[in-house]
Amino acid sequence: MTDSSNKTFQSEKGIHTDFMEKMTYGDYLQLDPLLSSQKRLSSHHDEMLFIIIHQVSELWLKLIIHEMQAAIKKIQANELQASYKMLARVSKIQSQIIQAWDVLSTLTPAEYMQFRDKLGNASGFQSYQYRLVEFVLGYKTPFILKIYQKDKELHQILMDAYHAPGLYDVAIQSLDKAGLPIDKGVLDRDISKTYQQNASVEQAWLQVYQNVDRYWDLYQLAEKLVDIEDWFQQWRFRHMKTVERIIGHKTGTGGSSGVSYLKKVLEHYFFPELWEIRTKL
């Protein structure tokens, strides 16, 4: 520390320096276990990058789930204004995860091949938090659940989310509460199945967009949902291009077709009517 820095520090008389019996920043954040969890299986320098990028993404996914599940409860309670802040935060988090691909893309194919075999069959395809995000967004695929049967507690968490209403389910319920006609079959549908586009829902959203002043709260909700799907698709695209850049069209470590699979999921829409009405307005 330079003399000037030392003088500046000493001039701050109120700074706490005695933490023998007090909680520190590191204690609060549990930095010891957090920063000791990057355990490389090879001696290759770039494996540290690979581990940290994925761990950081999992932390962001945890916050996305936290925010979206809270938003669902607010929407169910007809507290739409409170849900907007949570959904807006999700979009900002998504922008951070998208930028993470830029960092991972500094890993070249030659470098990745030096430690890829150490992963065995471990793959991001198995990320249970990513599946929870998909479930909250209404994309529910039963065969995915088999991956998690090894851990009964985790499997139950996923099963609960699988059978719980998603973000779009409660948004459609809000349309119904506002007096917009929604087919009974949609309102009573089996929410453990992936949502399918419906004409009555499309017409209801069209009414919202054509009468913004009357349905301002629902209009804002719709735009928050579009933001989330837009960012999610951008994340999927950057994921696909990063994988293609690093491993080309090789099969994924988890057994998926890799780039081919990632291109297919780009075609899926979580909130199809909100995109369809843009052509019809």
Side-chain angles (χ1 to χ4, degrees), residues 1-122:
M1 184 180 292
T2 64
D3 287 342
S4 60
S5 297
N6 193 40
K7 288 178 181 178
T8 300
F9 181 79
Q10 289 178 343
S11 69
E12 294 292 327
K13 303 298 184 183
I15 291 178
H16 297 285
T17 56
D18 182 2
F19 286 95
M20 296 302 292
E21 298 181 1
K22 296 176 184 176
M23 179 177 67
T24 66
Y25 171 81
D27 295 334
Y28 175 69
L29 294 178
Q30 298 188 55
L31 289 183
D32 285 345
L34 181 66
L35 297 179
S36 62
S37 63
Q38 295 74 44
K39 302 184 187 302
R40 289 183 293 169
L41 298 181
S42 75
S43 59
H44 197 277
H45 173 84
D46 291 323
E47 190 181 357
M48 183 65 76
L49 160 69
F50 191 81
I51 292 170
I52 288 177
I53 285 292
H54 287 85
Q55 288 182 337
V56 168
S57 294
E58 288 293 333
L59 285 171
W60 281 130
L61 288 174
K62 183 173 184 176
L63 186 53
I64 286 175
I65 294 163
H66 176 73
E67 297 295 340
M68 289 204 296
Q69 287 180 338
I72 285 173
K73 291 179 181 178
K74 291 297 183 183
I75 296 169
Q76 286 176 316
N78 206 33
E79 298 177 23
L80 299 187
Q81 290 287 338
S83 75
Y84 301 153
K85 175 66 176 292
M86 298 163 182
L87 297 177
R89 182 175 291 161
V90 169
S91 293
K92 292 297 184 181
I93 297 166
Q94 289 175 295
S95 71
Q96 293 295 310
I97 296 181
I98 290 168
Q99 290 179 25
W101 293 121
D102 293 337
V103 182
L104 186 59
S105 66
T106 63
L107 179 68
T108 69
E111 291 162 347
Y112 183 46
M113 287 304 112
Q114 294 297 312
F115 62 86
R116 187 181 189 234
D117 63 318
K118 299 295 184 182
L119 274 62
N121 294 128

Side-chain angles (χ1 to χ4, degrees), residues 153-171:
E153 184 177 348
L154 174 57
H155 188 259
Q156 188 58 55
I157 290 171
L158 285 157
M159 285 296 290
D160 290 344
Y162 189 79
H163 292 284
L167 193 55
Y168 202 44
D169 293 316
V170 297

Side-chain angles (χ1 to χ4, degrees), residues 169-209:
D169 293 316
V170 297
I172 292 172
Q173 289 166 10
S174 291
L175 292 172
D176 178 62
K177 290 175 184 176
L180 292 159
I182 303 295
D183 289 346
K184 193 174 187 303
V186 175
L187 296 172
D188 297 336
R189 76 181 192 87
D190 182 355
I191 56 176
S192 69
K193 299 186 183 302
T194 298
Y195 176 79
Q196 299 296 320
Q197 191 168 346
N198 177 269
S200 70
V201 174
E202 180 179 310
Q203 187 59 36
W205 283 125
L206 193 57
Q207 286 294 315
V208 169
Y209 275 75

